């Protein structure tokens, strides 16, 4: 073969236009390597071109509309593979399908050539419609039991068979009421054997220091009464000293086990 003829054939082969596929879907032109368009925003068109008879389906109804048109066709609008601005395009394919968004979600397009005999001939493209992706399912409403539940009984006060009573006070701050109660020795004697021991402790003494946590827990104000289980030393009550012997007896009875 003459060299000049071989050179002509090589030049023709290198400049020949690559054959386009029979079915063409939008491809993004933004990357260096074109990528498949997978998003269909509101007010945009997703245009499918085909030179062979096809059927175009959406795998989920209600998310997009699909309109079949004959080419050539001239369209002006925003395109899924465009630059986000309104533009005018001419499509020369024999068949066109214009896909438009209806509601936000995710849908799969199926392009099935006429006469397809196996799944490999079907072109699939998943689209996020509306640009927001699929919405999560709504949270189920909580089930409310119509039967009213009984209110829990208040906890039974802790009690003991035999009590120890500690009163921490400042003699200088005694009121007539507290002085009458603290100085009523016959009353304290009458509490036996329910109250085995009664300690009247002046504030600031080493013995009072042993009960500083109980004083703080009872509000910190003096005089304060501390009731304990005589056998275990467990604190059953710590709070303000009752105003008189009647209130004191009621407090003791509340924390005495039957």
């Amino acid at each position: 073969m003459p060299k000049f003829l071989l050179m002509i054939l090589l030049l023709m082969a290198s400049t020949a236009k690559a054959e386009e596929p029979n079915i063409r879907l939008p491809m993004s032109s933004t990357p260096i390597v074109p990528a498949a368009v997978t998003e269909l925003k509101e007010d945009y068109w997703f245009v499918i071109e085909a030179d062979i008879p096809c059927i175009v389906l959406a795998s989920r109804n209600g998310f997009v509309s699909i309109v079949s048109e004959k080419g050539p066709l001239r369209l002006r609008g925003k395109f899924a593979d465009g630059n986000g601005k309104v533009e005018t395009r001419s499509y020369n394919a024999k068949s066109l399908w214009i896909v438009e968004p209806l509601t936000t979600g995710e849908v799969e397009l199926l392009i099935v050539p006429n006469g397809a005999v196996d799944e490999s001939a079907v072109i699939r493209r998943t689209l996020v419609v509306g640009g927001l992706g699929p919405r999560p399912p709504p949270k189920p409403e909580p089930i409310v039991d119509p039967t009213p539940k009984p209110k829990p009984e208040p906890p039974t006060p802790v009690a003991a068979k035999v009590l120890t009573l500690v009163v921490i006070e400042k003699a200088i701050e005694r009121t007539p009421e507290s002085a009458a109660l603290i100085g009523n020795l016959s009353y304290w004697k009458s509490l036996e054997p329910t109250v085995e021991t009664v300690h009247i402790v002046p504030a600031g003494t080493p013995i009072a220091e042993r009960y500083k946590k109980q004083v703080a827990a009872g509000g910190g104000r003096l005089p304060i009464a501390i009731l304990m289980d005589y056998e275990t030393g467990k604190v059953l009550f710590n709070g303000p000293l009752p105003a008189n012997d009647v209130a004191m007896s009621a407090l003791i009875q509340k924390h005495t086990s039957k």
Side-chain angles (χ1 to χ4, degrees):
M1 178 182 295
K3 289 185 178 181
F4 74 91
L5 181 57
L6 178 60
M7 292 177 63
I8 292 175
L9 291 175
L10 292 173
L11 181 61
M12 292 176 61
S14 63
T15 58
K17 184 180 179 181
E19 183 180 355
E20 290 186 335
N22 291 326
I23 302 173
R24 299 176 292 282
L25 277 68
M27 301 291 289
S28 173
S29 58
T30 302
I32 298 176
V33 178
V37 173
T38 58
E39 184 180 42
L40 178 57
K41 298 180 181 179
E42 185 180 1
D43 297 329
Y44 279 65
W45 288 337
F46 186 95
V47 182
I48 301 172
E49 304 173 81
D51 297 324
I52 59 175
C54 294
I55 298 175
V56 177
L57 304 171
S59 63
R60 299 173 67 192
N61 294 328
F63 289 90
V64 295
S65 67
I66 302 175
V67 178
S68 176
E69 297 284 355
K70 297 293 182 183
L73 187 65
R74 188 175 177 86
L75 297 174
R76 180 171 175 79
K78 294 181 181 179
F79 298 87
D81 56 344
N83 56 9
K85 299 179 180 179
V86 175
E87 56 182 304
T88 301
R89 292 187 180 184
S90 295
Y91 291 92
N92 298 315
K94 294 180 180 180
S95 300
L96 303 170
W97 288 267
I98 302 173
V99 183
E100 296 183 75
L102 294 178
T103 187
T104 301
E106 190 174 278
V107 69
E108 184 181 34
L109 300 179
L110 305 174
I111 300 92
V112 185
N114 284 10
V117 294
D118 56 52
E119 188 177 349
S120 63
V122 179
I123 299 175
R124 299 173 179 268
R125 176 71 59 86
T126 300
L127 289 181
V128 175
V129 183
L132 299 177
R135 293 179 180 175
K139 294 182 179 179
E141 293 292 331
I143 299 175
V144 179
D145 186 358
T147 306
K149 295 182 179 180
K151 294 183 179 180
E153 294 292 332
T156 303
V158 288
K161 292 181 179 180
V162 182
L163 302 175
T164 295
L165 172 62
V166 178
V167 177
I168 300 177
E169 54 111 23
K170 290 182 178 179
I172 196 172
E173 295 180 357
R174 286 183 182 179
T175 64
E177 293 79 8
S178 64
L181 178 60
I182 292 173
N184 194 345
L185 298 181
S186 60
Y187 170 70
W188 298 125
K189 188 71 174 177
S190 70
L191 297 178
E192 296 179 356
T194 302
V195 180
E196 177 70 22
T197 306
V198 176
H199 296 292
I200 307 298
V201 181
T205 63
I207 296 177
E209 284 296 308
R210 300 177 188 175
Y211 301 100
K212 61 182 180 180
K213 290 184 179 180
Q214 288 76 20
V215 172
R221 297 187 63 181
L222 301 179
I224 190 170
I226 304 171
L227 281 177
M228 296 180 290
D229 186 324
Y230 176 76
E231 294 182 357
T232 66
K234 180 180 179 181
V235 176
L236 308 179
F237 170 83
N238 54 328
L241 179 70
N244 49 52
D245 55 357
V246 175
M248 187 77 239
S249 296
L251 177 66
I252 292 171
Q253 184 178 5
K254 181 179 179 181
H255 293 281
T256 303
S257 59
K258 304 301 184 205

